[in-house]
Amino acid sequence: MTKVLKIALASTVLISGLSASDIIKGSGASFPYSVYQKWIKAYNKDTGIKVDYIKKGSSKGIKDAKARSVDFAGTDKPLSPKALSKAGLFQFPAVVGAITMGYNVPGVDNIKLSRSAIVAIASGKVSYWDDQVITKENPNAKLPHEKLTFVHRADGSGTTYNFTYFLSKVSQDWRKSFGAKKSLSWPGNQHIGGKTNSGVAALLKQTQYSIGYIDYADAKNNDIAMASVENKAGKYIVPTLKSFQAAAAKASLDPKKDFYSIIADPKGEDSYPMVAATFILVPVETPDMNKRVTKFYNWAYTDGQEIAKSLGFVPLPDTLTSKIRAYWATKGIK
């Protein structure tokens, strides 16, 4: 064997050597992608263990989990205990984040959006930025008579599910007509779709007079203006870590129900209304790999908290992470 061939073969082994036994593979929700990537990098630095997570959207993450094509999957739409049992999956929450209303209106800052305005925009009933449903809460803003473009997710998305769940809680008409879904045919004729939250961010940045729902981290990273949103108490809340924490404190996540819960539109005067927990799915038949996955998330619950906060995510409280660890132990994956 020649020296060149030996080197080539050695290189191939090094590249392909990090396979199933070495790399923890995940896919799914793009909503928590930014925090997962930072956690992965820091975890690898601390432990030498490699985790790979590909953002595909919650729908594809769930499909990958059911097909056993990954070691774990992320979803912003939790599965019910019945659905988990049928698919042979365990489920636990990872972190709490927020959905914002990002917008691109040159020269206009600090827009306030009422609950009815958000429903009207998503329903395709707002044609121009100076529509009364927007201007009545923004009397001092010079909103132009320009066509409004609504930006949404084009792929199956837990972000869409949580956003439409919020709309369903706010509007009976929306609930009857559309409900809470991971994807839908959006009403109206002034809307465009982007794949993953990054795609929505790109469209918002390049499309003047647009508005759309997007996770806080992607909006912040792309310097996209975000509206203050009316909460259940009638207060207009700026999207900040503090207001997300106030909302997350109201969340009820029960291990007896495999943590199945939608936490949007919580009570509280200081609570930001469009919050969402994001979840991890693992197969029941792979306890050894699952222990590697839960070890990573156990690290995230402790050593990854400041990373989460820096990106605008809310770390899970100690009372909840204690319940999650007990859940892991019960399932034999701790």
Side-chain angles (χ1 to χ4, degrees):
M1 185 180 294
T2 67
K3 185 176 181 181
V4 173
L5 183 56
K6 285 181 179 179
I7 292 172
L9 287 172
S11 298
T12 301
V13 170
L14 286 172
I15 292 169
S16 62
L18 290 173
S19 57
S21 62
D22 300 297
I23 302 175
I24 304 170
K25 297 184 295 182
S27 72
S30 65
F31 180 73
Y33 181 73
S34 59
V35 69
Y36 287 1
Q37 287 303 102
K38 291 245 179 163
W39 279 349
I40 285 168
K41 186 176 180 180
Y43 187 64
N44 178 253
K45 184 177 180 181
D46 282 359
T47 66
I49 298 170
K50 183 171 176 58
V51 181
D52 184 31
Y53 182 84
I54 301 172
K55 60 177 178 180
K56 295 182 176 181
S58 295
S59 290
K60 290 184 179 178
I62 293 170
K63 287 181 181 178
D64 283 350
K66 290 179 177 178
R68 304 315 198 243
S69 57
V70 292
D71 300 313
F72 71 98
T75 176
D76 305 325
K77 180 189 177 183
L79 299 185
S80 67
K82 183 178 180 180
L84 289 167
S85 178
K86 183 178 179 180
L89 297 168
F90 297 137
Q91 173 176 268
F92 58 89
V95 72
V96 171
I99 300 167
T100 69
M101 295 301 293
Y103 63 90
N104 179 350
V105 183
V108 179
D109 299 313
N110 305 316
I111 288 177
K112 295 180 180 179
L113 290 177
S114 66
R115 297 156 82 81
S116 58
I118 294 172
V119 174
I121 290 168
S123 300
K125 296 178 180 178
V126 178
S127 298
Y128 294 92
W129 273 99
D130 57 356
D131 189 293
Q132 186 181 1
V133 75
I134 302 176
T135 59
K136 68 180 179 180
E137 300 300 336
N138 298 277
N140 299 319
K142 295 181 179 179
L143 291 163
H145 187 67
E146 296 283 353
K147 284 191 174 182
L148 179 150
T149 300
F150 177 60
V151 184
H152 56 81
R153 286 286 290 273
D155 51 336
S157 159
T159 308
T160 297
Y161 179 82
N162 281 282
F163 178 64
T164 55
Y165 183 89
F166 169 76
L167 296 178
S168 296
K169 293 195 73 173
V170 168
S171 166
Q172 186 175 358
D173 287 342
W174 180 276
R175 185 166 61 252
K176 288 182 177 179
S177 299
F178 305 103
K181 296 179 180 178
K182 289 182 290 184
S183 63
L184 71 156
S185 296
W186 291 90
N189 57 10
Q190 292 178 206
H191 58 84
I192 53 176
K195 288 188 176 181
T196 76
N197 280 303
S198 298
V200 171
L203 286 173
L204 285 169
K205 284 183 72 78
Q206 70 190 38
T207 310
Q208 286 194 344
Y209 307 110
S210 62
I211 185 169
Y213 61 96
I214 182 174
D215 70 289
Y216 175 81
D218 273 301
K220 182 181 178 183
N221 290 342
N222 286 279
D223 198 28
I224 293 169
M226 294 173 269
S228 298
V229 177
E230 184 186 11
N231 69 7
K232 186 176 285 187
K235 305 293 184 181
Y236 285 85
I237 307 298
V238 177
T240 63
L241 179 62
K242 185 177 180 181
S243 63
F244 305 157
Q245 288 173 323
K250 308 294 183 180
S252 176
L253 293 158
D254 187 352
K256 292 180 181 178
K257 299 178 181 178
D258 297 289
F259 304 100
Y260 177 69
S261 179
I262 313 296
I263 67 173
D265 204 29
K267 296 179 180 179
E269 291 199 354
D270 299 324
S271 296
Y272 183 79
M274 295 193 296
V275 289
T278 190
F279 299 81
I280 298 300
L281 303 171
V282 294
V284 300
E285 74 276 7
T286 57
D288 290 341
M289 176 55 76
N290 291 346
K291 288 175 183 178
R292 296 180 66 193
V293 173
T294 59
K295 188 174 182 180
F296 167 60
Y297 279 98
N298 187 63
W299 175 94
Y301 295 154
T302 53
D303 296 347
Q305 290 200 357
E306 292 306 314
I307 292 173
K309 289 178 183 177
S310 72
L311 294 169
F313 287 89
V314 181
L316 303 182
D318 291 342
T319 51
L320 179 54
T321 56
S322 293
K323 291 178 181 178
I324 294 169
R325 293 183 182 102
Y327 175 86
W328 291 343
T330 301
K331 305 299 183 184
I333 59 173
K334 182 179 178 183

